[in-house]
């Protein structure tokens, strides 16, 4: 099973259930790989549709965009119930209400991330064409700190990572204003309708769920397992991590 990330990197804490499952053999004899994929927002659904990946992890906006375009995908699992996307502002510059983001410049890591933000704005009554988007590449958080925009798209795992890097912002949290769920795991509809493949994905996702529960019960140990894979991530954390 080839799982592809929408972040352009796998050196993040967000995918800890996978690394926990790998360490403890939760996948059993399933051959599996986790790949970064391009940073472009719609890449995950395109790669799955084209058979270059088996499972993607798109945002609700990107997934609905794919369905609207006729891409035959099915959402099969959610790792989180609440919207994980947030809006970051320089300290002291966060408006009183999230709707006041209207007319502002929002920094994105990739121009394609507009497909993530447009639905978030629309659901709070802000016309997407009332804001300006600016693509700032991999360092869009630093670009916000330098004043190149008014706000920046962020998400749960990235907030902690930015803080560890000294990028301290004020946030509107998606879970507080959005009715969307988090990103979901999607597969091809043809695979979903294939009994053998459906059984395979059941076992595969059970392993992710077991890794998720492990992290819920012992978050420090789950973090340590990720750092075994990516030691450089330790420099982005606020404090040293010890196993329990």
């Amino acid at each position: 099973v080839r799982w592809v990330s929408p972040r352009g990197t796998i050196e993040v804490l967000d995918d800890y259930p996978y690394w926990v499952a790998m360490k403890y053999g939760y996948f059993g004899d399933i051959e599996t790989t986790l790949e970064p994929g391009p940073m472009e927002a719609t890449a995950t659904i395109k790669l799955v549709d084209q058979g270059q990946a088996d499972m993607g992890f798109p945002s609700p906006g990107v997934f609905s965009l794919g369905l609207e375009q006729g891409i035959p995908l099915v959402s099969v699992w959610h790792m989180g119930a609440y919207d994980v996307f947030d809006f970051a502002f320089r300290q002291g510059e966060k408006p009183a209400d999230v709707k006041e983001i209207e007319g502002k410049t929002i920094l994105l890591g990739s121009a394609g991330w507009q497909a993530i933000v447009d639905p978030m704005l629309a659901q709070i009554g802000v016309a997407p064409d009332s804001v300006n988007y600016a693509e700032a590449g991999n360092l869009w958080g630093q670009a916000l700190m330098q004043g190149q925009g008014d706000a920046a798209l962020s998400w749960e795992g990235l907030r902690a990572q930015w803080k560890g890097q000294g990028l301290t912002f004020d946030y509107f949290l998606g879970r507080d204003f959005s009715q969307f769920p988090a990103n979901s795991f999607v597969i091809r509809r043809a695979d979903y309708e294939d009994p053998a493949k459906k059984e395979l994905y059941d076992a595969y996702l059970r392993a992710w769920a077991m890794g998720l529960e492990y992290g819920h019960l012992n978050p420090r140990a789950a973090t340590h397992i990720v750092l075994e894979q990516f030691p450089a991530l330790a420099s982005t954390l606020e404090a040293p991590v010890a196993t329990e």
Side-chain angles (χ1 to χ4, degrees), residues 3-79:
W3 187 97
V4 63
S5 168
R7 307 182 191 95
T9 178
I10 57 173
E11 294 189 29
V12 295
L13 294 173
D14 305 64
D15 305 325
Y16 73 85
Y18 176 85
W19 300 112
V20 169
M22 288 291 288
K23 181 178 179 66
Y24 289 107
Y26 298 161
F27 289 114
D29 60 0
I30 299 174
E31 293 184 11
T32 176
T33 181
L34 186 141
E35 299 177 358
M39 202 168 175
E40 199 276 314
T42 60
T44 58
I45 58 174
K46 291 176 181 175
L47 291 173
V48 172
D49 181 43
Q50 295 165 3
Q52 298 179 50
D54 301 304
M55 188 171 288
F57 189 50
S59 70
V62 171
F63 177 48
S64 61
L65 179 65
L67 295 179
E68 187 177 15
Q69 294 175 346
I71 300 177
L73 301 174
V74 178
S75 171
V76 291
W77 192 61
H78 271 94
M79 197 163 73

Side-chain angles (χ1 to χ4, degrees), residues 132-150:
N132 300 307
Y133 290 112
E135 183 178 12
N138 290 332
L139 301 179
W140 78 100
Q142 287 82 347
L144 177 62
M145 186 67 80
Q146 294 165 6
Q148 297 179 33
D150 302 303

Side-chain angles (χ1 to χ4, degrees), residues 99-139:
K99 293 182 180 181
E100 294 180 46
I101 200 169
E102 184 175 2
K104 299 191 182 300
T105 295
I106 302 175
L107 294 169
L108 307 174
S110 167
W113 293 2
Q114 182 176 339
I116 299 172
V117 182
D118 278 355
M120 295 179 68
L121 298 177
Q123 71 168 321
I124 60 174
V126 173
D129 60 5
S130 71
V131 304
N132 300 307
Y133 290 112
E135 183 178 12
N138 290 332
L139 301 179

